[in-house]
């Protein structure tokens, strides 16, 4: 689907500025359109090596070292790039059984991941097993609906994080799936789950109104959609029930979306929902182009997916 | 216009331009990661020692599969599920017997716990890791017949090929009611205590299996399901799992 709307690249504000005395304001050079690139993975499940040539389903696909090359080339093209992961980093190959997630975190650090959220399988060696690997991660974790305050992870996971690229304030918050019945209680211990939609509503308000973010991203491990369980919270439901979120990066359901889904939020505005299946077979890429000034149409951005 | 005024105007414009950064265009696409992308040398070199260490253990050939087996091969029982449940019985019962002097009556696992297919060809240690990557271990639950009946009701409602060992026979009617449920050919006796082997995840209510608790006692075998599979594969030169009639639904 293509949804083209006219948009004007040139900023009148910049023209005005240039006219008032030639004062150079490099950091706010609004004459150019700014571009923020969001790269994302989900449910990589310890798939460090590519699938072998004899694999019945994913022959010769995936591989962290290839992902590293791809990410590096995109960063070279646009340094204003974020790399995010939507959880279930752990579990799925012997690398996890042997090293408990150490290699996964070290490699994600080499690839310069910015943020990740927590998936249910990231508790597979217990919350203590997750905590033990935190020193190997040069990136941070966000989760707004898991309360870790009575666990070892207290203070190691923030509800949201703000990243600034080219003067653009990007707010990223995380949401995770209900653990009861899915993960053994002795694994997640005193981690308390809260409703993802309520937390997402709080987060998007804080990020928009208090933190003045230009771009709001929800990093989710609640699952894309549950057609057979209409009451189960999902990314699609979260998209419809919230406002001010620009992009939901999902996981858990291993949903292979060939392109992001465009949903309408509670105000009737567009919100993108994306998920790239699992096992590092794909890298999701969403480019946001920013213009400043009055010349942006009120009905929102043109979306090309 | 004085310099003061100019600066003021610039300041205002600065605020204006900062606070009105708006998304004007969004482009989304999915990028393939495959053999067309060269591997990053530094990352590859970093992985190498880890890979070599793991592969040394993993590539050990321990059995052979004449066919490819998948958990979607049958409606209520599958060759791979039967293989796993029967392997848990075969490998765990001697351990349980030695510990308690009793025998396991039957085994229940869950369909979702089969995490990969078994591909036709050589079976290696890696196969066992793929099929059962989790660290879950065997537990034996002593449960009254009425709790076993609860389990049968769960299985009838779940309509999934949750693996059971061959000692259990469960037949459903066309409208998913229990037609018969037997353990070693005898109907379930509500007053008898049955020893059911499962894994710790299911014992603690995983997959909605709430019938294991409360119970008449628990024996922890400290035997990982994955090691059960490895031990079982090593004893079998060529696997020959079959779909059978242990858990079926009648057509009419």
């Amino acid at each position: 689907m293509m949804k083209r709307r006219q948009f004007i690249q040139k900023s009148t504000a910049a023209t005005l500025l240039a006219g008032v005395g030639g004062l150079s304001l490099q950091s706010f050079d609004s004459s150019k359109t700014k571009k923020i690139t969001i790269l994302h993975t989900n449910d990589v499940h310890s798939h460090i090596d590519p699938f072998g040539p004899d694999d019945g389903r994913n022959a010769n696909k995936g591989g962290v070292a290839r992902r590293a090359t791809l990410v590096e080339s995109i960063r070279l093209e646009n340094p204003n790039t974020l790399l995010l992961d939507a959880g279930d980093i752990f579990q799925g190959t012997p690398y996890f059984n042997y090293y408990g997630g150490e290699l996964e975190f070290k490699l994600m650090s080499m690839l310069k991941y910015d943020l990740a959220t927590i998936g249910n399988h990231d508790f597979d060696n217990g919350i203590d097993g997750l905590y033990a690997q935190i020193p190997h991660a040069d990136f941070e974790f966000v989760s707004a609906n898991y309360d870790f305050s009575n666990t070892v992870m207290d203070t190691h996971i923030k509800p949201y994080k703000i990243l600034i690229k080219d003067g653009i304030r990007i707010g990223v918050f995380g949401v995770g799936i209900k653990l009861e019945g899915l993960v053994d209680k002795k694994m997640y211990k005193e981690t308390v789950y809260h409703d993802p939609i309520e937390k997402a509503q709080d987060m998007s308000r804080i990020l928009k109104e208090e933190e003045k973010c230009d771009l709001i991203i929800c990093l989710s491990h609640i699952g894309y959609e549950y057609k057979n369980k209409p009451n189960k919270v999902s990314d699609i439901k979260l998209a419809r029930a919230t406002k001010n979120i620009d992009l939901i990066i999902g996981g858990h359901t291993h949903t292979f979306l060939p392109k992001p889904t465009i949903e309408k939020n509670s105000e009737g505005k567009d919100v993108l929902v994306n998920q790239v299946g699992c096992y590092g077979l794909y890298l999701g890429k969403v480019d946001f182009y920013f213009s400043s000034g009055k010349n942006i149409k009120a009905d929102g951005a043109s979306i090309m997916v | 216009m004085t310099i003061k005024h100019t600066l003021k105007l610039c300041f205002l414009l600065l605020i204006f331009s900062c606070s009105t950064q708006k998304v004007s265009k969004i482009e989304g696409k999915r990028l393939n990661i495959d053999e067309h992308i060269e591997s990053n040398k530094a990352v590859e070199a970093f992985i190498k020692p880890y890979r070599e260490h793991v592969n040394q253990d993993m590539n050990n050939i321990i059995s052979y599969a004449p066919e490819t087996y998948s958990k979607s091969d049958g409606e209520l029982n599958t060759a791979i599920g039967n293989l796993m449940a029967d392997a848990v019985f075969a490998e765990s019962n001697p351990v349980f017997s030695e510990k308690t002097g009793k025998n396991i009556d039957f085994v229940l696992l869950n369909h979702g716990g089969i995490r990969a297919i078994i591909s036709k060809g050589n079976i290696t240690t890696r196969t066992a890791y793929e099929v059962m990557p989790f660290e879950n271990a065997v537990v034996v639950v002593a449960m009254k017949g009425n709790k076993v009946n609860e389990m049968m009701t769960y299985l009838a409602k779940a309509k999934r090929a949750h693996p059971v060992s061959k000692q259990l026979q469960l037949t459903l009617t066309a409208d998913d009611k229990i037609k018969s449920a037997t353990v070693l050919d005898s109907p379930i006796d509500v007053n008898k205590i049955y020893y059911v082997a499962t894994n710790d995840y299911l014992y603690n209510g995983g997959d909605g299996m709430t019938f294991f608790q409360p119970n008449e006692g628990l024996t922890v075998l400290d035997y990982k399901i994955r090691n059960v599979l490895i031990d079982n594969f090593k004893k079998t030169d060529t696997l020959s799992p079959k779909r059978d009639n242990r858990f079926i639904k009648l057509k009419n």
Side-chain angles (χ1 to χ4, degrees), chain A residues 84-143:
Chain A
L84 309 173
D85 185 274
D88 276 8
I89 296 164
F90 290 173
Q91 191 71 270
T93 72
Y95 285 116
F96 179 68
N97 306 99
Y98 275 64
Y99 302 108
E102 174 192 325
L103 186 57
E104 288 83 336
F105 280 4
K106 283 183 169 172
L107 291 170
M108 286 173 76
S109 304
M110 280 181 94
L111 267 67
K112 299 190 180 69
Y113 269 80
D114 292 283
L115 286 173
T117 194
I118 306 284
N120 47 303
H121 282 294
D122 299 318
F123 291 98
D124 277 6
N125 279 350
I127 192 155
D128 300 291
L130 175 61
Y131 175 71
Q133 302 306 331
I134 293 291
H136 302 302
D138 289 342
F139 53 93
E140 289 187 77
F141 292 90
V142 283
S143 178

Side-chain angles (χ1 to χ4, degrees), chain A residues 20 28 49 62 65 69 91 95 97-99 102 182 184 281-283 285 287 289-291 302 304, chain B residues 6 9 18 21-22 24-29 31-33 38 40 50-51 53 57 129 133 135 201 204:
Chain A
V20 277
F28 283 100
D49 292 327
T69 303
Q91 191 71 270
Y95 285 116
N97 306 99
Y98 275 64
Y99 302 108
E102 174 192 325
L182 185 66
D184 203 324
L281 305 175
Y282 299 96
L283 181 69
K285 180 173 182 273
D287 293 316
Y289 294 84
F290 285 82
S291 294
S302 65
M304 300 160 89
Chain B
T6 312
L9 180 57
C18 285
Q21 310 257 27
K22 280 234 170 82
S24 54
K25 184 172 75 160
I26 307 167
E27 284 174 353
K29 61 172 77 124
L31 308 174
N32 294 324
I33 296 174
E38 209 178 308
N40 177 296
Y50 291 87
R51 180 189 295 135
H53 177 67
D57 292 359
Y129 272 84
E135 302 298 331
Y201 168 72
N204 287 316

